[in-house]
Amino acid sequence: MRTLALTRELRRKVPDAELTVLLGSLQSTFGPLFEEAGVKVIDVAGDHVDHATHSNLTRDLSWTTYVKEYLAPAFVNGERMLGYLSHYQDLEPDLVVSDYNISASMAAAFAGIPHALVTERYDFTLCQIDDQTLEAGGFRINREDLRRGRNALHAVFEQIVTTAELVLTDKPYVPELDEGTAVARAMREGKAVFTGPMIRDIPGRRDSATVRASLGLGPGPVMVGSVGGTTMFQENKQQVIESYIHAHQRLKQHHPDLQLVLLGRERVEAPDDVVVLTYLPDWMPLLQEADVLLSAPGWITVTEVAALRVPTVFVLSSLGEYHEVEASDRLGRLGFPSLVAPSTEELASVVKPLIGSRVAEPTPAHLAVAPNGSGTTKAAGLLADAARAAHARLGRPAPVGTTEGTGR
């Protein structure tokens, strides 16, 4: 969604630019959306990929199980790096923009191709979580293997940031979590910029009755429960779904007309009074109707709800979902309700005051993430400037009908 938002804005800002997306997951969903935005789509995966519908890790974390069997295929992938490099050679881009696609960034850095990094990470995930937290999440770890893995991953991330033309992040800096990272250093040097949310256009408020009718909702208060886009363990996904349903049942004792909309990413079993949606391409009209959102602390979701000023309770199903532990911690520090494996009573007690009390004014937590609402225009402008600068530096002629190179 972040890349789609940026390409749409770039198309508006630089109509003549050649924009190509190398799409590696959710192709059937996002391919048509990119094409509608005037972007050429190249499917670099071949098979449909969706990381939300299966477990991605085992409980044993060693060099073999974590680096060789999970990290290398998914992130630091030599074959994929060569594939990206071959596309770059064919496309001759002025600027490669990697949305935390490490193989794509490595290929650009290796070839000396100008590249920009769009990231919600200040370092690799493993580098911002300690062994004690992993063990508390139920992992059995080989500490020496993970030490070596962290050092290697940190070196890769440092090289990517060091060689980048520009680093854009939608995650606000928190000294206790980020000091000493490559992105924090790049911020001090002026190479990295906190842009705020890089999100799709925020729509005007639609007719409430029409939106509710399209979703099968009545006039009562609405609670939305969203499941994250990537899960380490499928049982954690089921656990968080059940926590939403149980909290809804508890809250209906106080608000009998409370409606739960569950966005489950796939069909799930739920009581008859729960509206279950597998995927909603544009959930902003629903969020504008919601009294409260319950969500995993995935950062794309964080940025959208902050810009929309939606009251949100972030729920991490387990410390085993280690990839979102840092985000969960950060959100708590920024002022959002952020819970880890809450009981039904705990979750319901945090949600209860938010039912029927939504106001237009943003909270300090919303403003920390989205101080000016959307940051998409700012981010796209910085990317366009970087592409133009790279185009001029590479000495390429301006395209026919233009007075300066618009870039690709």
Side-chain angles (χ1 to χ4, degrees):
M1 287 308 306
R2 185 164 46 201
T3 304
L4 178 61
L6 289 171
T7 54
R8 283 173 171 166
E9 185 63 25
L10 281 165
R11 176 56 69 218
R12 286 193 286 261
K13 280 184 167 296
V14 195
D16 296 331
E18 297 178 38
L19 301 176
T20 302
V21 62
L22 306 179
L23 187 58
S25 64
L26 293 174
Q27 300 94 318
S28 60
T29 299
F30 283 95
L33 295 174
F34 279 109
E35 290 170 349
E36 289 170 11
V39 182
K40 178 182 177 181
V41 177
I42 297 175
D43 181 355
V44 296
D47 297 320
H48 180 80
V49 179
D50 185 347
H51 299 288
T53 58
H54 61 276
S55 298
N56 286 280
L57 280 182
T58 70
R59 289 292 177 181
D60 292 297
L61 294 187
S62 64
W63 186 273
T64 297
T65 59
Y66 185 77
V67 177
K68 180 180 178 181
E69 296 177 356
Y70 168 68
L71 199 71
F75 294 99
V76 188
N77 184 311
E79 185 276 332
R80 195 173 297 169
M81 176 180 165
L82 292 173
Y84 285 120
L85 188 54
S86 70
H87 285 298
Y88 302 161
Q89 290 168 335
D90 291 339
L91 295 166
E92 296 184 332
D94 295 303
L95 186 71
V96 168
V97 181
S98 163
D99 189 347
Y100 196 63
N101 184 330
I102 301 305
S103 297
S105 291
M106 289 171 61
F110 176 81
I113 297 171
H115 66 101
L117 176 65
V118 178
T119 178
E120 65 193 52
R121 304 289 183 187
Y122 281 71
D123 204 333
F124 262 103
T125 307
L126 187 65
C127 298
Q128 290 198 283
I129 186 170
D130 58 30
D131 290 344
Q132 291 82 1
T133 303
L134 290 171
E135 289 171 336
F139 291 104
R140 296 175 291 272
I141 67 173
N142 183 314
R143 292 192 172 215
E144 177 60 15
D145 281 1
L146 294 193
R147 180 194 66 79
R148 294 171 57 236
R150 285 189 182 94
N151 290 342
L153 292 169
H154 180 71
V156 169
F157 199 82
E158 286 267 343
Q159 181 66 10
I160 290 170
V161 172
T162 299
T163 58
E165 306 280 310
L166 176 69
V167 178
L168 302 180
T169 183
D170 50 14
K171 184 173 276 187
Y173 172 80
V174 173
E176 300 89 340
L177 301 177
D178 305 321
E179 184 56 40
T181 63
V183 173
R185 185 177 65 250
M187 281 181 167
R188 290 193 295 270
E189 296 169 351
K191 179 192 287 189
V193 179
F194 168 64
T195 63
M198 292 176 260
I199 59 172
R200 70 191 107 174
D201 293 339
I202 298 175
R205 188 69 180 263
R206 300 180 191 175
D207 176 67
S208 178
T210 301
V211 172
R212 286 172 176 256
S214 70
L215 297 168
L217 297 173
V222 175
M223 180 171 81
V224 177
S226 174
V227 176
T230 300
T231 183
M232 295 298 105
F233 297 99
Q234 192 70 1
E235 62 266 29
N236 291 336
K237 176 182 175 181
Q238 185 59 39
Q239 179 181 320
V240 79
I241 289 171
E242 291 174 359
S243 73
Y244 296 163
I245 292 172
H246 293 157
H248 176 237
Q249 292 170 340
R250 181 68 57 87
L251 289 163
K252 286 188 71 173
Q253 298 173 9
H254 305 279
H255 301 278
D257 57 347
L258 177 65
Q259 301 161 95
L260 171 61
V261 179
L262 181 61
L263 302 177
R265 298 275 180 166
E266 57 185 331
R267 291 303 303 176
V268 298
E269 295 296 323
D272 292 340
D273 60 350
V274 176
V275 175
V276 178
L277 302 173
T278 57
Y279 186 73
L280 192 61
D282 183 2
W283 73 336
M284 287 188 176
L286 171 61
L287 292 183
Q288 290 170 330
E289 293 296 317
D291 290 64
V292 61
L293 169 70
L294 311 184
S295 175
W299 205 258
I300 298 295
T301 297
V302 171
T303 58
E304 289 194 339
V305 302
L308 283 166
R309 314 312 194 194
V310 180
T312 305
V313 177
F314 291 100
V315 181
L316 186 65
S317 59
S318 163
L319 292 177
E321 297 299 306
Y322 85 101
H323 62 299
E324 291 178 335
V325 168
E326 171 268 320
S328 177
D329 183 9
R330 186 181 303 263
L331 288 165
R333 293 172 187 266
L334 294 174
F336 283 100
S338 187
L339 310 176
V340 179
S343 66
T344 297
E345 188 61 41
E346 182 183 5
L347 181 56
S349 67
V350 173
V351 172
K352 183 180 176 182
L354 301 175
I355 304 299
S357 62
R358 181 165 177 173
V359 296
E361 292 299 315
T363 66
H366 289 140
L367 291 172
V369 175
N372 301 303
S374 173
T376 310
T377 298
K378 177 180 179 179
L382 291 168
L383 290 173
D385 289 344
R388 291 190 186 99
H391 185 92
R393 191 169 67 248
L394 293 167
R396 289 174 175 161
V400 174
T402 65
T403 56
E404 63 174 340
T406 54
R408 60 181 71 172

